[in-house]
Amino acid sequence: MTTLNTAAGGKASSAPLMGKDAEPTIFELSQPGRSAYQLRTTGVPQWSAEELFDASLLSDHPVPLAEVSERDLVAHVTRLSHRQFSVDLGAYPLGSCTMKYNPKICDAVASMPGLAGVHPGAPASLTQGWLETFVSLERALCEVTGMAAATLQPAAGAAGELTGLLLMRAYHEANGDVRRRIIIPDSAHGTNPASVTLGGYEVTTIASDDRGCVDLAALKAALDTDVAGIMLTNPNTLGLFEEDIAEIAAALHNVGGLLYYDGANLNAIMGVVRPGDMGFDIVHMNLHKTFATPHGGGGPGAGPVAVSPRLVDFLPGPRAQEVAPGVYDWVKPPKSIGRVHGWHGNSLVLARALAYIEVHGGDGLRRVSERAVLNANWIRQRLSAKFDVAFDRPCMHEVVLSLAKLRKDHGVKALDMAKRIMEEGFHAPTVYFPLIVDEALMIEPTETESLQTLEALAQAFEVALDDALNNEQAVFAAPRTTPVGRVDEARAARTLVQTFDARG
Amino acid sequence: MADYLPHTNDELRSMLDFLGLSSTEELFNAVPEALRLARGLEIADGMNEPDVLSRFEERAKRNTARSDQMLCFAGSGAYDHELPPVVKALAGRSEFVTAYTPYQPEVAQGVLQAIFEFQTMIARIYGLPVSNASLYDGATALVEGVNLGVASSGSNRVVLSAGVHPHWRQVVATFARGTGHHLEVVPLIDGLTDFSAIEGTCGVIVVAQPNYLGGLEDLSAVRALCDRTGAIMVVAADPVASGVLKTPGSYGADVVVGEGQGFGTALSFGGPYLGLFACSIKEIRRLPGRIVGETVDVEGRRAYVTTLRTREQDIRREKASSNICSNQTLMAVAASIQLGWLGTEGFAEMALACARGTRYLANHLKGGSGATLLHPDLGVFRELAVRTVKPATQVVNEMAARGFLAGIAVSALTGGPDPSLSDDVLGHVLLVSVTERRTAKEIDDFAAALEEVAK
């Protein structure tokens, strides 16, 4: 296949670096008397602090920050950026994180002065463009998920989860129904059980069956009228579709429970199947994953929560709504659980998501999911000759390998392989998740990586495996091509240095 | 057909062949036929980028309250501070924008070190030894502060000053539905918190500095009250105020939370913002969210890594100290750059410039009749509570026609009666803010217009 002779666009092993020195902190670059700031000339009288405040309130010394020139600041931050892997640099097959390409148009939208320069407390009459943006996004997200209405306030997926659980609580309480338990499969993201506790519920964990899906018999045994609901990811964290979802939904609904859909894996199913049609009542979406908003090195995200008709009245508020054709206003749902964000949510992230949706359109979103699933299956098939695939059958958008045998026979762990793969010019896959797979390596290539990149990634896995089998020390020593080698995490926890001032 | 997909038709065919499939539909064989969407999504067809940009330009035009066209005198937790080109350029670097959470430290030293510098700066600004790597916003940071306080004190009695921003109090109340915390809101008297009715054991006491009406609270008295009642002292503090005023940590606060938007993030219609969280060393194992620590690599070179990870949700699951995973790292990186740009002197100068501008406006209002100071004797920093003869919401609308975003009507924040103000004045209080970006001429014009409009 000649196509594979084309160079791989997502392979970053050519990235140049100047040297192996550590970058000084900005505090070490600081020279007393140097400065970068320039503030507006206002003509306001130059009163002293003593003239403005009671002396007892005043600080007797300035807060020491740094004293650097603008040139040195730019050089410092630019060098920091060169010590950072990113989607823009190369493929980032981090399972469960959907690290797809982030279109630059979304940056352009988010920096428009007419969006970025708007105060959140300005009345609706002066912010109609923003309210229309919210309403348009809500409609699109409800269509993708098959839901009736949504709140855009939650700032990330975990905030969406907790919002969803508070919605469940409010719904049951409104029915005079006291329930204490939430069911979670053992393959779930850690945020799920953590959110359950904060929602005031107890976690009941159920095991997965030998196909990697919810064990229906175990689920049914756990169900009674004390169960407020279940939290599921579908496709689940193994990248497998829960084929029994209709029966699961019926079982929950039979005991009066609700179904919560963790939208972390929504990228697999857009335009193919919708959570609402599967029987879910509450859905959160990770806009920084599925809608590419992007992830910012750990955030910001956005975690809108969409619900079925019976939960609409409980949504956080106020919500932007079209109150007359082309006229938008804030409306508080009648039984609202209240605010879950200081203002309206991560608005610029929401605008980015709408831009992404408007570029793709409904057909484009389906194509996104098709290609995400195609790429994941291609890499699964390509790697399955030499690696053990956990629960080996066609996957959705991601695939989980188990290196348990490699560890047992050669002492090479999933973490070692992840570090070695990075030497080949790719970000590592996710390691040790989901927890139910021994020595898990979780690969999510996403739809924006080309066939050539997938092939190069597969070859990187094979190179790493070859070392694991024949040259173990090279794997244990990896990565050697990165700005720092393996980091002493135990020392970081043992001798805590959490600020520059905490240095011994 | 706009998209960012790389597959050629030949490649699509060869990939499906490789999988033994004849169509993309077969990729979804695991999805039961009955559940599949039989139609296309009812979302308009995709548009090319220039057309989408045009559509967003139209939306932007319908936001008349944009700060480049309407002078911003609104604050209440969101401020029109200087956002210099250098900070925009650096914080917009795609290495930061398109990275994920730094799970593999060897290829994430850039973000990790930037967060380490951020943590150092926030710890210094709040006068405490520990800061985390950010939370969603000020309101949700307060929720985490309350949760930490309850866990630390063992009491779920939470006393909140009515001087805490009304939205923040609303968010605390929402999440207390799940945790079951018992909330008591204590009123403001003449613009400052009246804690006199608080007796007995408390778990957490929360005070805002300055409070949302602009008044500067007596933090020494709050510390003494916390010592008497056994409460964890949580201060919701404006971080910019530390440029002139003593830090909350210097009064003995156990936890300080705040909104960091003023450091390098645009008004952004409320988000993404930056939740700040600092605490004492003894609370570090209850700290919500990520924290970066310094360490070394195998060759002894300085390196950074997320640490004390056993507090976090992916390891501790239902026993985690918080459920947070994604935070606001990019805003924290922007803040570290903005604070590096301001530097020691610029940080103090910016804070002082806010206070000067606010005093300058207050002086104008002292002689007024349509718009007057609600509490003329209170010390203020960057926020003024202005009493208006006309309802404050009406004043905002009429001032907009004159080119000013005049402030925030308190009634719009509280949505009803509130223990911070008596019912008869609540509808007539406008919160006005002056930052270092407002010139004397702008303030002169604003004060004159406000006096006319508010009558």
Side-chain angles (χ1 to χ4, degrees), chain A residues 1 3 20 23-26 28 36-38 40 42 46-47 52-53 56-57 59 64-66 76 80-81 83-88 92 97 99 102-103 114 116-120 126-130 132-133 143 158 162 169 188 190-191 195 197-198 200 243 245 268 272 274 277 294-300 326 337-339 341-343 346-348 358-359 361-362 366-367 375 377-378 419 447 452 482 485-488 492-493 496-501 503, chain B residues 1-7 11-12 14-15 18-19 25 28 30 35-37 39 41-44 46-47 55 59 62-65 67 75-76 78 86 93-101 104 106-111 113 116-117 119-120 124 129 137 167 170 174-175 177-179 244-246 267-272 284 293-298 301-302 305 307 313 317-318 323 326-330 341-345 347 356 359 380 436-440:
Chain A
M1 195 162 40
T3 183
K20 287 295 203 177
E23 171 64 16
T25 63
I26 193 167
E28 293 160 302
Y37 79 101
Q38 301 181 43
R40 186 169 285 193
T42 62
Q46 299 294 293
W47 293 303
L52 295 169
F53 296 100
S56 66
L57 293 169
S59 175
L65 290 172
H76 171 61
L80 287 182
S81 76
R83 297 164 74 78
Q84 179 63 45
F85 196 91
S86 62
V87 173
D88 276 14
Y92 216 128
C97 303
M99 294 300 281
N102 311 118
V118 181
H119 193 288
L126 308 178
T127 54
Q128 288 288 293
W130 259 120
E132 187 271 320
T133 299
E143 170 63 9
L162 182 48
R169 171 173 285 281
T191 48
S195 299
T197 301
L198 289 168
E243 296 180 24
I245 186 59
V272 176
R274 309 190 301 172
D277 300 333
H295 207 283
I337 60 167
R339 283 182 179 281
H341 187 271
W343 294 101
N346 280 347
S347 305
L348 289 177
E358 289 186 340
V359 167
R366 179 176 166 117
R367 217 157 45 240
N375 277 3
N377 276 290
W378 191 92
K419 303 295 187 193
E447 70 279 6
Q452 292 76 22
T482 47
R486 274 202 215 188
V487 168
D488 189 344
L496 186 66
V497 180
Q498 81 284 7
T499 65
F500 184 73
D501 305 319
R503 282 185 176 171
Chain B
M1 283 289 284
D3 61 35
Y4 306 91
L5 303 171
H7 309 76
E11 288 170 347
L12 276 180
S14 82
M15 291 175 81
F18 183 61
L19 297 173
E25 189 67 31
F28 299 99
L35 296 179
R36 286 189 222 172
L37 190 64
R39 56 171 175 82
L41 287 172
E42 289 176 358
I43 294 175
M47 298 190 292
R55 183 178 279 200
R59 290 178 170 127
R62 297 191 67 201
N63 292 326
T64 51
S67 60
S76 300
V86 60
R93 287 191 66 95
S94 74
E95 295 88 341
F96 301 128
V97 173
T98 74
Y100 198 76
T101 303
Q104 295 291 343
E106 297 85 359
V107 292
Q109 288 297 300
V111 163
Q113 185 172 337
F116 180 79
E117 295 180 7
Q119 289 172 181
T120 302
R124 290 177 179 180
D137 68 351
H167 286 179
Q170 290 160 25
T174 301
F175 288 107
R177 287 165 165 258
T179 51
V244 241
L245 306 179
K246 282 181 187 159
L267 288 165
S268 311
F269 204 50
I284 196 167
E294 188 182 288
T295 183
V296 293
D297 77 349
V298 282
R301 283 175 300 206
R302 192 194 286 173
V305 67
T307 192
Q313 46 77 26
R317 297 176 81 83
E318 63 264 31
N323 71 335
S326 285
N327 55 22
Q328 305 282 121
T329 295
L330 188 63
W341 172 77
L342 281 169
T344 304
E345 183 183 289
F347 180 60
R356 285 169 178 154
R359 167 66 69 88
V380 291
E436 82 289 350
R437 299 194 73 232
R438 295 287 77 81
T439 65

Side-chain angles (χ1 to χ4, degrees), chain A residues 474-493:
Chain A
V475 181
F476 298 142
R480 297 155 298 187
T481 55
T482 47
V484 297
R486 274 202 215 188
V487 168
D488 189 344
E489 300 192 22
R491 172 179 156 142

Side-chain angles (χ1 to χ4, degrees), chain A residues 316-337:
Chain A
R319 286 170 57 218
Q321 296 205 255
E322 188 171 18
V323 293
V327 180
Y328 301 87
D329 203 355
W330 295 111
V331 179
K332 188 173 179 186
K335 301 175 196 163
S336 176
I337 60 167

Side-chain angles (χ1 to χ4, degrees), chain A residues 126-188:
Chain A
L126 308 178
T127 54
Q128 288 288 293
W130 259 120
L131 272 72
E132 187 271 320
T133 299
F134 285 180
V135 168
S136 296
L137 178 64
E138 182 186 337
R139 284 178 185 152
L141 296 179
C142 286
E143 170 63 9
V144 169
T145 55
M147 291 284 153
T151 173
L152 305 179
Q153 283 188 22
E161 291 175 16
L162 182 48
T163 301
L165 289 159
L166 294 175
L167 287 167
M168 272 195 199
R169 171 173 285 281
Y171 170 80
H172 288 308
E173 283 176 3
N175 293 335
D177 204 355
V178 178
R179 292 168 180 249
R180 290 175 303 182
R181 294 194 293 132
I182 299 282
I183 293 178
I184 292 181
D186 56 4
S187 60

